[in-house]
Every structure is written in structure tokens, then in C-alpha cells.
Amino acid sequence: MTFALGPTAVAAGHALHAYDTVGSTNAEALALAREGRGPAWVVARAQTAGRGRRGRPWSTGRGNLAASFGATLGVPAATAATLGFVAGLALEQALRAVAPSLSQPTTRPELKWPNDVVVDGAKLAGILLEADASAPGQVAIAVGIGVNVASAPEGLPYPAASLASRGDDTTAEQLFVALTDAFAAWFDTWDDGRGFAKVRKGWMARAAGLGSTVTVDLGARIAQGVFEKIDDDGRLVLRGADGTLVTVSAGEVCFGTAATVRE
């Protein structure tokens, strides 16, 4: 099978750059965005230099999905960053469309703030946003999406799952078509950030751990509280034991009351 865009993505004018192997789909997509050659998807059967948040390596074996969406946007960087929620919604929708094990309400994937897709507590996919200023008033952004389709990496400090381990014979190519269509629709809803309220509502309906106690590694310290919501800027809002609200812009989330989540 070959990688192809879905009809909604094609109608939206998104381009496709498909490779057998690349260093990083995000690096390729960001380069295209800097050159004004977006909106475009970059997809590969394998990555040799994939990465996750905080510079961590991201393994993409053959059979898994490594794809990135690149575009140049005339919005502030903080607004562009909310595209991570668009990607999460699109990926959750695409997974339910092509993976039978995730199509039921009791088994649907959940969105873990800020950038993971989990199922039954195990990480199934990760999302990475990278951006830089491409011109005055413009930001070039790449939205990277990695999904464990055929296999999940081993030796991680957290549980991981693949579609294959759940009994789904979905291919990366099938998932990619559904993802590009779902992303095009949610990208249109997002509308340069003007439609983030709708995106936020949809994301909250699929949020993992909402209403439960979470622990967040902020680097220098640990924050803990009940996951209340994400705010209008996409930040995590916790209610502490004393009732005060704590707003978190970035951090590593762990469900429960673990003393630390540092890896």
C-alpha cells in the first residue's frame, strides 16, 4: 500500500510528501513550512532520528505511523501551539474509524494532556509541536504524530501499547488517510485559533483523568491536584488540596498521587 491523503485533506489543498525513510518527519515538515510550501503532510515508513518532547528519542519501526503536518500561520506562537489539541482530536477520531478495538464507548482512546493518546492507561501515540518565526508576524509550525500501529517500544518507564497488540490489523496507510481527513476538518474548525473554544470542548470530552488527582513534574518541583479543565489557552488547571487553582503551562503528567513522575 502507498500513503495517500483523504478526500477532505485534498479538497483543503493540503500537499503530501511521502518517503520510505527520513531522519525526522517533523524536521522535513518544518523546513517546508519555513519555505512557505505548506500546508503539507510529510509521512515516512521509518524514521532514523525521530524525537519526542524535551528532545527524547522517538522510535518509529516499520509498520508504525510517523507523520507531520507543516504550515505557515499568521498567528502568535501561543495560538499556534493549540494545534496540539487539534491533532489529538483528529487522531482520536481516526483511530476509532479504522481500529475495531477502539470503536466502542468503553474502549475509545483518551487524550492525555498535553500531547499523548492513551488506551487503558497505556500510551498508544504521541504528538510533538515544533515552531519558529518564519517572517514578521508569521510562525512556521510542524505537528508531529507518531502512532504505535504494528509494535510498541519496550523498556519504557510507562506502559505502551500498539494497535496490533490489541488485535487490530489496521495499517499505517489506512490510519494516515483517516487522520488527514479528520485533521483537515478540525483544522478548519480551529480557524487560526478563533474556533479553539469548540476544539477545547471536544478535547475535554475525551480527556484522560478529568476529575481525578494528577501529579505533574514541572522540572524544579512537583504539582498535585484534581484535574479540573484546560483553560482558554490550553493550559492544565488543577485544584489543590486547599482549594486553590494551579495553572500549568508545561509538564509531565502522571495519574494518581505518585510522589514523583521523573523518568
Side-chain angles (χ1 to χ4, degrees), residues 2 23 36 81 85 109 119 123 132 145 170 197 217 240 246:
T2 59
F85 298 98
V119 56
K123 183 170 178 175
D132 61 24
I145 300 171
T170 305
D217 183 357
V246 178

Side-chain angles (χ1 to χ4, degrees), residues 209-235:
L210 187 65
S212 66
T213 299
V214 301
T215 304
V216 188
D217 183 357
L218 303 176
R221 64 184 180 90
I222 299 295
Q224 192 175 95
V226 174
F227 177 12
E228 290 263 311
K229 62 180 180 178
I230 59 169
D231 67 12
D232 293 341
D233 296 314
R235 298 174 298 183

Side-chain angles (χ1 to χ4, degrees), residues 131-191:
D132 61 24
S134 60
Q138 292 189 321
V139 59
I141 190 163
V143 184
I145 300 171
V147 186
N148 300 328
V149 178
S151 62
E154 299 179 351
L156 300 175
Y158 50 81
S162 68
L163 293 180
S165 70
R166 297 182 55 83
D168 293 311
D169 60 0
T170 305
T171 66
E173 292 86 352
Q174 291 170 327
L175 177 58
F176 181 69
V177 172
L179 172 62
T180 61
D181 271 351
F183 189 94
W186 279 109
F187 186 69
D188 185 63
T189 297
W190 179 73
D191 189 23

Side-chain angles (χ1 to χ4, degrees), residues 24-223:
S24 162
T25 59
N26 249 30
E28 295 290 330
L30 193 56
L32 291 171
R34 290 192 193 104
E35 296 167 5
R37 296 170 61 193
W41 282 96
V42 176
V43 63
R45 299 191 184 282
Q47 289 186 115
T48 60
R51 56 188 180 271
R53 294 182 69 236
R54 299 185 177 182
R56 297 176 183 136
W58 177 271
S59 174
T60 305
R62 289 191 176 272
N64 290 340
L65 178 63
S68 297
F69 177 83
T72 303
L73 306 172
V75 301
T79 300
T82 62
L83 274 177
F85 298 98
V86 170
L89 283 169
L91 182 53
E92 187 269 348
Q93 181 177 323
L95 285 165
R96 287 192 291 108
V98 301
S101 77
L102 302 177
S103 63
Q104 301 302 315
T106 56
T107 59
R108 67 188 304 168
E110 295 180 299
L111 304 177
K112 179 184 174 186
W113 186 91
N115 64 349
D116 291 344
V117 178
V118 298
V119 56
D120 295 333
K123 183 170 178 175
L124 181 66
I127 297 165
L128 175 68
L129 271 70
E130 296 182 291
D132 61 24
S134 60
Q138 292 189 321
V139 59
I141 190 163
V143 184
I145 300 171
V147 186
N148 300 328
V149 178
S151 62
E154 299 179 351
L156 300 175
Y158 50 81
S162 68
L163 293 180
S165 70
R166 297 182 55 83
D168 293 311
D169 60 0
T170 305
T171 66
E173 292 86 352
Q174 291 170 327
L175 177 58
F176 181 69
V177 172
L179 172 62
T180 61
D181 271 351
F183 189 94
W186 279 109
F187 186 69
D188 185 63
T189 297
W190 179 73
D191 189 23
D192 282 349
R194 289 181 288 268
F196 181 63
K198 293 180 181 178
V199 171
R200 175 181 174 273
K201 182 178 179 180
W203 194 96
M204 289 277 290
R206 298 157 175 82
L210 187 65
S212 66
T213 299
V214 301
T215 304
V216 188
D217 183 357
L218 303 176
R221 64 184 180 90
I222 299 295

